[in-house]
Amino acid sequence: MPVDSQSLRILSHEPMGRDAYLLRLERPAWSWRAGELVGIIGPAEVDQRDYTIASGERDETLDVIYRLIPHGVLTPFLQKRRPGETLRVLGPYGRFVLRDPERPILFCATGTGIAPCRAYLRTHPTLNLTLLHGVRHPEDLYFREEFERAGYHPHCSRTRLAEAAERITDTLKTMELPENAHVYLCGANEMIYEAEEILSNRGVAFEHIFHEPYYYRAID
Ligand SMILES: Cc1cc2nc3c(=O)[nH]c(=O)nc-3n(C[C@H](O)[C@H](O)[C@H](O)COP(=O)(O)OP(=O)(O)OC[C@H]3O[C@@H](n4cnc5c(N)ncnc54)[C@H](O)[C@@H]3O)c2cc1C
């Protein structure tokens, strides 16, 4: 499908957790596959950033969840946008789509990396999903009420939460891996690299692991 640019009206724009926002846009003329992206364009044409569509394929709105990066280029501009205004959006594109909805899925996300998982589950409500979500504080367990059912494992690294472990990668080392699963890793590059190594050591085939890094931090 060709990538198209459109101006989409902001329907709502609400804070989520400590420093993230849920941006709900009118549905574009094109359809998307769960896991695909849009590019949101800032005031200068060069200020374009990728965001996973966090709504399902049949939802009436195009949702994006973003974390405000105060020193960033696009998110401070985004944060000032109000319902009724429009945003230029390019899409859909990307390859982090659900390969096989019939297979068990192990999804590991840090922070807003939960977005594709929400799109998968809203599109395929009966998905056999095990989800490890890692955040700093419990308030940042975005969409918790939508995921809270069997197979949901919250992780909080900075604030203790009775039922939560601290690090996704520690859980990955010891948990019983769902048999025959496809594994999806999304968010911080550190988590992705570490998780891939652990999964590989535990015998998960390379071709059963898919990843979508959102940002890179130097690793010592
Ligand atoms: C394929 C893809 C999909 C993405 N989807 C999403 C999404 O759904 N939601 C979302 O919030 N972001 C997503 N991102 C990240 C997004 O594209 C922007 O990089 C991010 O919103 C920061 O934009 P900015 O212009 O404000 O900051 P920039 O000027 O681009 O970045 C400033 C600095 O902040 C770092 N940074 C970027 N994101 C984070 C973060 N979350 N935590 C800590 N540091 C960060 C950057 O590496 C850079 O060093 C995605 C990135 C990619 C590559």
Side-chain angles (χ1 to χ4, degrees), residues 30-44:
W30 37 262
S31 49
W32 63 85
R33 290 172 71 196
E36 283 188 321
L37 311 167
V38 286
I40 300 185
I41 302 168

Side-chain angles (χ1 to χ4, degrees), residues 37 49-52 65-67 69 71-76 112 115 212-216:
L37 311 167
R49 296 288 184 271
D50 293 329
Y51 295 93
T52 305
I65 174 173
Y66 69 90
R67 177 168 172 217
I69 307 295
H71 60 282
V73 171
L74 190 77
T75 54
T112 54
E212 184 89 294
Y214 276 6
Y215 62 95
Y216 295 86

Side-chain angles (χ1 to χ4, degrees), residues 134-154:
V135 296
R136 293 194 178 109
H137 303 277
E139 308 89 279
D140 302 329
L141 290 165
Y142 317 120
F143 309 115
R144 183 178 184 161
E145 63 295 343
E146 296 184 30
F147 293 118
E148 212 154 38
R149 53 180 199 153
Y152 176 63
H153 303 274

Side-chain angles (χ1 to χ4, degrees), residues 24-162:
R24 192 154 269 170
L25 305 176
E26 66 180 313
R27 207 182 149 99
W30 37 262
S31 49
W32 63 85
R33 290 172 71 196
E36 283 188 321
L37 311 167
V38 286
I40 300 185
I41 302 168
E45 199 70 19
V46 286
D47 299 341
Q48 186 192 314
R49 296 288 184 271
D50 293 329
Y51 295 93
T52 305
I53 301 169
S55 37
E57 294 172 6
R58 293 175 297 281
D59 283 347
E60 287 179 1
T61 56
L62 188 156
D63 298 350
V64 161
I65 174 173
Y66 69 90
R67 177 168 172 217
L68 174 66
I69 307 295
H71 60 282
V73 171
L74 190 77
T75 54
F77 162 81
L78 270 189
Q79 193 215 8
K80 294 192 186 75
R81 308 280 63 83
R82 297 289 170 258
E85 295 180 14
T86 57
L87 279 174
R88 272 190 62 215
V89 169
L90 196 71
Y93 53 94
R95 297 192 303 167
F96 196 60
V97 293
L98 192 59
R99 293 338 193 252
D100 179 1
E102 302 304 320
R103 247 185 207 258
I105 303 297
L106 171 59
F107 198 105
C108 303
T110 59
T112 54
I114 194 76
C117 188
R118 182 175 188 249
Y120 296 166
L121 192 59
R122 290 187 70 83
T123 304
H124 303 281
T126 58
L127 201 60
N128 179 349
L129 172 71
T130 303
L131 168 61
L132 313 188
H133 189 197
V135 296
R136 293 194 178 109
H137 303 277
E139 308 89 279
D140 302 329
L141 290 165
Y142 317 120
F143 309 115
R144 183 178 184 161
E145 63 295 343
E146 296 184 30
F147 293 118
E148 212 154 38
R149 53 180 199 153
Y152 176 63
H153 303 274
H155 294 70
C156 297
S157 60
R158 302 264 170 95
T159 311
R160 293 230 38 88
L161 182 66

